[in-house]
Amino acid sequence: MASDRIDFQNSIASRQSPFSDGISLSSCLSSRSSSHDDLNQFLDTMRQADDSAASRNVLEDLSHNQWKAGLEAAPACHNPKTSTRECSANCDKGPATSVDADDKKDKAIVVPLKQWIDDEESKARHFDLNCQRNLQQASIIRKITIGFGIGKLLQQVSQQQESPISHYSWSQLQSLCSIDNFAVESVDEGFLSESGWEVRGVHMIAPFLSVQIDACSSTSCIPSRIDNNNGMTGRNLVATIVSTSPPVCANTARPDTSECDFMICHLLGVLLHFLFAGRRSEHITGRGAPKDDRDNDPSRVDIIKVNEPSMKKKSADFFRLDERSGFCNEPIYARGNPYPTVRSVDFSHAISIGGHDNDPDHSSHTRGPQDNSRLSPLKDLGYPTSLSQLITNLVNCSLGLFRPDDSYPSLDVAINDMQIMLQKPQLFLSLDPPSTVNAFMGSGKLYGRSNEIAALTNAYCRIATSGITEAIFVSGFSGCGKTRLVHSIFESVNVAGGYTVTQKFDEMQSSSPLTVVLSAFNELCNLVAQSSSETCLMEIYEKLASAIGAPNLAFLTRILPNARRLLPSHITLPQMNSQAGINFNSLCFTIQHLMRAISSSSKVALLFLDDLQWADAMSLKLVQGVLSDVRGLNCLLFVGGFRENEVEQGHVLLEFFHALSASEVSSSVIRLNGISANDVNSMISDTLGVFPRLCKDLSDVVFRKTNGNPFFTLEFLRSLITQNLVQYSLRDKCWKWNLNEINAENITDNVLHLLTRKMNVLSESNQTALKVASCFGSIISIDVVRKLSSTSKYSSLQTTLDETAVKEGFMDRDDASYRFVHDKVREAAYRLIADKEQYHFDLGVALQSVGGAIFAAANQINRGPLSLLHDDSRRISFVHLNYEASTKPMACSDFTAAYSYLNSAVSLLPDDSWTTDYDLTLKCHFQLAKAAYGCGQAKRAQQICEEIIESGKCLEDTLETYSLLVSMICLARKDLPLAFKTCVKVLSLLGEHIPDDVVDVNPTVNEVKTLFYNISNEDILAMVDETSSRNISVMEFFSQLVTVAILVKPRRICHYCVARWALFCLTHKVACTYTPGAFVSFASMLSRDLGEDARLACRISKAGMMMLSRNDTAMIQQLPIVYTVHYMWVGSLTEPIQSAAAMSQHAYEIGMQTGNLSHAAFSLSIMMARLLYAGTNLLKLKNDLEVHLKSAKQHSQFILLANLVMIHEVVSSLIGDEEAKSFLYPEKVRPTDEDFQFTLEMFSSFYLGHAERVHYKSKLWEKLEDSEKRKVPLHFIHTAFFSGIASFRLYSYGRKDSQTHIKILAKSLSILEKASQFSEWNYKNKYLLLNATYLSITDKKFNAENEFRAAILASRASKFVHEEGLACEIAAMHHVKRDNNAVALSLFRQAKACYKTWGSRVKAVHISSLIDSIQE
């Protein structure tokens, strides 16, 4: 074996360096003039060396002093930047992944570890006192990084299978762990953005190994808010081993190396102690060991013998640290074994740090410093306690049977602790004593929630990709970390360009729940305005203006004030009536359009509403309306948090879940339970700054008591600290606890008990401050605190909140409010109040006395014992307070909040208030009726209306109530005859008598016609706005009367009511909100015939439409009604059908915005039918229909649903979609408009080629009495067109009754000729086609072909692609009949192209079959 070692030594000594000719290892070691370049050359040489046993043994025989002399040849104040060779770019290293120096790895330098320590100490002597702390912390990080690298290298050596480390001799282990066996690779500080992370690798000389260290951003970092200004940011270290030896096989069993592992840990600890302590490291001999002169020579490594000890004594000799070499001396072993294995050594009484001298009474459960130090603990030298603990636990691994419990069981655990220190330096490497744990407890760090965080992040990414809204609900018990979980992804969302908004419902603010949701969207508008450029804001404005109209933006800015910031500064919005447009449906529709305008896949909004268990039905309905937007363009991630143990059967939240499911909104639930025992251990470790392995016993107790509830865990720990069961020792600089006392402590498992007990020890003034704050919910505004502090009773409130509530960790404060850190803290404070009702009442009275805080005062007073209040004067003052508080939520459509305030106001009115306080009672009751109806309590609203009508003193006082009552009945479609009678009664009281029955309406109609003939449109537009409230009321009730009559009365009664409405308007020259409705309604009566009356109707309807634009704000409620009537009747006669469809869509959107769902539904039906008749692409139309069908189902609009289903069936049949999606609804409801249904059936039969069916339906139409036909212009004109073309086809097929078909064709031609005089765009092509078919039948070939060409061109000009295809198809049939097949083929191909453009596969296939038949 010796010869092998000598041969290997010679081979290594003679090996040439690849960097310099003639330089060998021997010369490198022997020449004191050798430079550090030679060292680096040697490192490169060793990379090529075999990792054999001889390579480990050779280092033993090399002179240690000679090796040191080679390394110490450079001056003591050596500057590594100038004298140390830069690493070659060709070095065999792994890929660099460092976040700081990827592009600077060629700047790395290699320095012997001993030299690096000297350089580091040299830097420390020049520290500027102003920056000494930061420089010291950076130095500590560098040294731990080196220790981490050395540990990784030793770990790699210990895992080798060839020549395992368990066979090393003691001297080999010393050499292996010698400071001189390592070199450090680092970059210059100037290359990094943050000092402390310069170390890039550590090299072991023999056996040669290198570890590359990359410092990456740590995901385990604690937020910077608890940094205590130490400037440290944690990082993860990624170690890459570089070795020429074969890789270690992880699956191969290692030999038993337990004792060897302990000794390696011990030697590593000694080495690290020297690394940190340097020249200050103390060396202490064993007790009773005599010193000789050699102790004064630090370069010598001696073996100390104690008076020729016995064999047992020899095994107990002490180790001694060599100050310059950095390792311990070798004990005396049994004779005859010059190289015993480490496993034969008894490590008892070896060198230790803080070890106990066999104290049998010492409890291993008490953590703290040990007493009898062999080496000075680093904490005595000013180093962090955790670092000192780590090295102590490493060094004490050599104590054998007396090894403390906290000693390291393996090198792996020590490396992990070093990694923890580098990940969280602000917790484990802080130089300040942690006198409190409150900073960490508010840090927001999550434990054990990685899967849940991933679920939220993935949902956000899905929305950013698909643009489809999702909802995620986070459930769990109070304190499980729901809020922190959601907030944990906020930073990522903001970095991605999204928006994050959070609001929470409050148990103490249930009187104004809708405010929470509106505040969230209002804050979203603010975020969008802050982050958007002028160009983006202009795009948002254009989207909103095109969707809801620029004038209607005033409604949006009224409910969301910050929405004004989204609009360009030069845009002026009209002033809105405070009561205009108040409707929940309008609110929902407006916010839907807002979300479409401001969100996109690149700007996904995350809306987090917490504590949904306290939400009301209306708030959830608004959220559901936004999430289920049928357009699916909101790009919104909704996250809702709730306590599942407080949601019982029948809770509104369960209905909300069902509504989302019915609306096909993608939703999921994340259920949070307690975190695991390991996570609790990590939490306590971070809180106390103690390694997880050292606080495992404490965390196990805490876990058992708290079941892993995070908030309870922290409060429990606070409680233990308060009771000094866990305490920080300033003398020993560490946390201490006694498990026996903690286990003996009878602590409840209810966190409220802990918090209440903590609050009970506070002074009375401190408790009062917390009780006052708890009465206002989780948040109390600064304004309210200041107003209360201005009273004598609560004068010290603000001071106490600042000095106690905030400092003790009960509350947080920002610029606007104080906030309880958790709901459970508020609940504990609220528990301190004995008589809660009286306490609320006193607070409200105090606030009312100083004025200003109206809502807060009303909320507190309303929670008081009002039933015991008998002072009428005080009750009236509270009525005024509540009425004033209701005005703002009423203006913002928050009907639930308004109802709460108004209901309290009415309940406080004296029994004789209709006599003593009539005006106050009247307005409170009327506003209460409106609020009740607005939040869905129609029955309650009707009862209040009846009470007002019964108690009102005069008609003028009850007119608004009558109008509200009729509106409720009409919209509910219940007891419509009663609504008609009510309108007749009111009109009679106003002087307008309506007979029960009307035999002849013509006299009244003719009178109105005469008036219109005698007044021009200019005179109509010049009419002055009406100021008489009586006349306006008459117009309003006529409008309601006509609406109800259409639904329940015969057509003649409807016509009479319309004529009386227009007559009153013209005779009294009333120009008001209801005037356009009167004009277009009367025009619809006259447009039934295509004669002079129709021409007058066009003028009248035009005048009404022009008046509608006089005052956009006042007319916004009437716009859907006027548009519906105009474009259903006169508009379809005079304006392009595509324009009529667009304006009907506008009417639909305005109706939805203003909450007028019934007229919005009519407008939508008209719009979709007009789009079908206009030749819109069928596939696009089908998609739009399916969107609106979903919306109709959501709003339970069954009549609209029936109409849309019919259109959908027609479109699907024309497309040829046999698997068309079926839209089911609760009950079979057919369209109420028979004309609408009849025309659709004719259209479908006609284009599907069922000529006989069309002919049959047309005969049914002719048999109807004229009084039974509504004769909507568009409908009867299309019916005539379809009937004429069908007759032509039947005549061409040679069917019977040919003369009848010719007569029908001629009649249809006459109708279309008249229609084309009103609108060539809509009807000229149809007239030309009918005329061409008539000429074809009468054998006027030349004229027919010219007319066919004209019909094709006219259809193309009007963009009726389906009718262009129809004209080509019929023209081709004409040429086929005359054997002109070439022209016929060309026309058939044109027809096929048109039908394909239209989207009708059925028609395209049919034409293809005709082409094939001709070609055959």
Side-chain angles (χ1 to χ4, degrees), residues 180-195:
D180 295 328
N181 196 34
F182 298 97
V184 179
E185 180 178 342
S186 61
V187 297
D188 191 88
E189 296 180 20
F191 296 137
L192 298 179
S193 60
E194 185 177 7
S195 178

Side-chain angles (χ1 to χ4, degrees), residues 367-422:
R367 301 301 183 192
Q370 318 297 331
D371 298 327
N372 299 323
S373 299
R374 299 294 178 253
L375 296 175
S376 295
L378 289 184
K379 61 186 178 183
D380 294 343
L381 303 179
Y383 284 98
T385 302
S386 58
L387 177 62
S388 178
Q389 184 74 54
L390 178 137
I391 294 178
T392 298
N393 295 160
L394 282 171
V395 173
N396 289 347
C397 287
S398 63
L399 297 183
L401 295 176
F402 300 98
R403 186 182 301 116
D405 291 344
D406 53 10
S407 298
Y408 282 102
S410 69
L411 195 59
D412 297 347
V413 179
I415 293 172
N416 182 66
D417 281 354
M418 283 188 273
Q419 179 77 281
I420 290 175
M421 284 193 292
L422 294 173

Side-chain angles (χ1 to χ4, degrees), residues 329-385:
N329 63 325
E330 180 180 1
I332 297 296
Y333 297 108
R335 296 177 182 177
N337 185 6
Y339 303 108
T341 63
V342 177
R343 282 176 290 176
S344 64
V345 181
D346 181 0
F347 294 116
S348 60
H349 298 93
I351 286 181
S352 63
I353 300 179
H356 292 281
D357 287 339
N358 306 329
D359 183 1
D361 297 329
H362 174 66
S363 173
S364 64
H365 294 291
T366 302
R367 301 301 183 192
Q370 318 297 331
D371 298 327
N372 299 323
S373 299
R374 299 294 178 253
L375 296 175
S376 295
L378 289 184
K379 61 186 178 183
D380 294 343
L381 303 179
Y383 284 98
T385 302

Side-chain angles (χ1 to χ4, degrees), residues 517-537:
V517 181
L518 294 179
S519 297
F521 286 110
N522 193 46
E523 175 61 22
L524 180 59
C525 291
N526 183 51
L527 295 176
V528 174
Q530 290 177 352
S531 62
S532 300
S533 63
E534 288 294 330
T535 303
C536 293
L537 291 179

Side-chain angles (χ1 to χ4, degrees), residues 281 508 858 1060 1149 1155 1392:
S281 181
M508 306 302 293
R1060 284 291 303 275
E1149 291 174 344
K1392 180 180 178 181

Side-chain angles (χ1 to χ4, degrees), residues 1386-1403:
S1386 176
L1387 289 169
F1388 275 136
R1389 291 190 179 103
Q1390 291 183 47
K1392 180 180 178 181
C1394 290
Y1395 287 137
K1396 289 180 68 175
T1397 302
W1398 186 30
S1400 176
R1401 291 194 297 266
V1402 170
K1403 291 297 295 181

